[in-house]
């Protein structure tokens, strides 16, 4: 299997400054793992364990403090922004709350067109956006509607179409279904699976929910206090966990993320 990502001893320490003090928060505490091309690699763990930080650091939305990040054998951990720029469009991230990430004043079509390659002509952008919106299940007659005119699930579909607009190879999915009703959640998970096949995508899929993880991930890393304490095929990790924390996590069916 082709290795897409190789992460070596990655660390992220946040420095939190207030008026008189400087505090260090070790969010990622030396993790190493690989992600294979075409797989969905799950990250599971309780709130504050470092999942979001890990996802963002890999794609250099957050600067790593220490460690190496290889994308296709190229070390991008210290790559300068000018060299990183062409790579950036290959990486995307989708968040939990599409309402926060979509601009309320920009309609669905424009939202998807916005981040596209500058070299594309307006007409090409429009056609591509229309195609992507149809791919994620937004009907043509609604593509000029604004975010508030869509349901939560539809908004997440639009956010997904926008992420696809740069032809990414890799998407960090940060709890993308946690805010959705169960039936909608299943539809969006199926969409992710469908798109992965159609577009040769690879996912890092972050979730609190064992059921979601079981459904979507091929392999999974269990995070605990900034470390990956267990890693393996999802089924194996769930059916015969080797770390006591994983066992606890599974037996308690996880602390399902609280929706505010
Ligand atoms: N920008 C920041 N500055 C300082 N500390 C941060 C920052 N972002 C996250 N942290 C801290 O780093 C640790 C890991 O946070 P992170 O958001 O990565 O966890 P998470 O597993 O994604 O949690 P959740 O499940 O709640 O989303 C936490 O202790 C958090 O408070
Ligand atoms: Mg998070």
């Amino acid at each position: 299997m082709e290795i897409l990502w190789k992460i070596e001893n990655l660390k992220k320490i946040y420095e939190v400054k207030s008026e008189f003090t400087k505090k260090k928060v070790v969010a990622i505490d030396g993790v190493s793992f690989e992600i294979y091309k075409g797989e969905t690699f799950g990250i599971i763990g309780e709130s504050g364990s470092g999942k979001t930080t890990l996802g963002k650091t890999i794609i250099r939305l957050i600067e790593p403090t220490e460690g190496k990040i290889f994308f296709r054998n190229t070390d991008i951990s210290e790559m300068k922004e000018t060299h990183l720029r062409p790579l950036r469009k290959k990486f995307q991230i989708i968040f939990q709350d599409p309402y926060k990430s979509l601009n309320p004043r920009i309609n669905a079509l424009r939202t998807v067109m916005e981040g596209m390659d500058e070299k594309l002509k307006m007409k090409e952008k429009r056609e591509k956006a229309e195609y992507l919106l149809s791919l994620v299940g937004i009907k043509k007659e609604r593509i000029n509607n604004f975010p508030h005119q869509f349901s939560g699930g539809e908004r997440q579909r639009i956010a997904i179409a926008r992420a696809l607009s740069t032809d990414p190879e890799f998407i960090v999915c940060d709890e993308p279904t946690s805010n959705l009703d169960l039936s909608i959640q299943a539809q969006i998970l199926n969409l992710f699976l469908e798109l992965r096949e159609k577009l040769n995508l690879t996912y890092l899929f972050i979730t609190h929910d064992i059921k979601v993880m079981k459904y979507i991930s091929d392999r999974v890393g269990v995070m605990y206090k900034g470390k990956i304490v267990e890693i393996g095929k999802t089924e194996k990790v769930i059916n015969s966990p080797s770390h006591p924390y994983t066992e606890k996590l599974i037996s308690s069916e996880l602390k399902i993320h609280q929706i505010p």
Side-chain angles (χ1 to χ4, degrees), residues 17-132:
K17 289 182 196 127
S18 65
E19 203 174 352
F20 303 110
T21 60
K22 212 162 105 181
K23 210 179 76 186
K24 287 187 174 177
V25 178
V26 183
I28 305 290
D29 194 8
V31 307
S32 303
F33 61 99
E34 289 161 359
I35 301 177
Y36 302 122
K37 169 109 184 120
E39 78 169 335
T40 300
F41 183 77
I43 289 284
I44 195 155
E46 65 194 22
S47 185
S49 57
K51 304 181 297 298
T52 298
T53 303
L54 180 64
K56 286 184 171 173
T57 307
I58 290 175
I59 57 174
R60 289 281 309 268
L61 288 179
I62 289 179
E63 287 303 299
T65 308
E66 214 183 297
K68 298 266 175 234
I69 306 164
F70 294 94
F71 177 72
R72 286 230 161 82
N73 298 321
T74 304
D75 182 1
I76 66 159
S77 57
E78 289 172 73
M79 199 180 258
K80 297 255 173 351
E81 193 54 42
T82 41
H83 291 107
L84 205 53
R85 200 163 300 135
L87 274 177
R88 286 211 179 272
K89 64 182 175 57
K90 292 183 191 279
F91 315 144
Q92 285 286 356
I93 185 162
I94 292 170
F95 295 104
Q96 181 175 339
D97 187 351
Y99 208 57
K100 275 194 200 136
S101 64
L102 297 178
N103 185 333
R105 279 183 230 97
I106 301 185
N107 71 28
L109 187 69
R110 295 268 155 200
T111 299
V112 180
M113 287 167 69
E114 256 194 338
M116 282 182 192
D117 195 334
E118 290 297 318
K119 286 190 233 79
L120 290 179
K121 296 195 181 76
M122 209 50 167
K123 182 165 172 280
E124 292 170 321
K125 284 189 187 178
R126 181 185 300 271
E127 279 168 9
K128 185 171 177 176
E130 282 177 8
Y131 166 70
L132 289 173

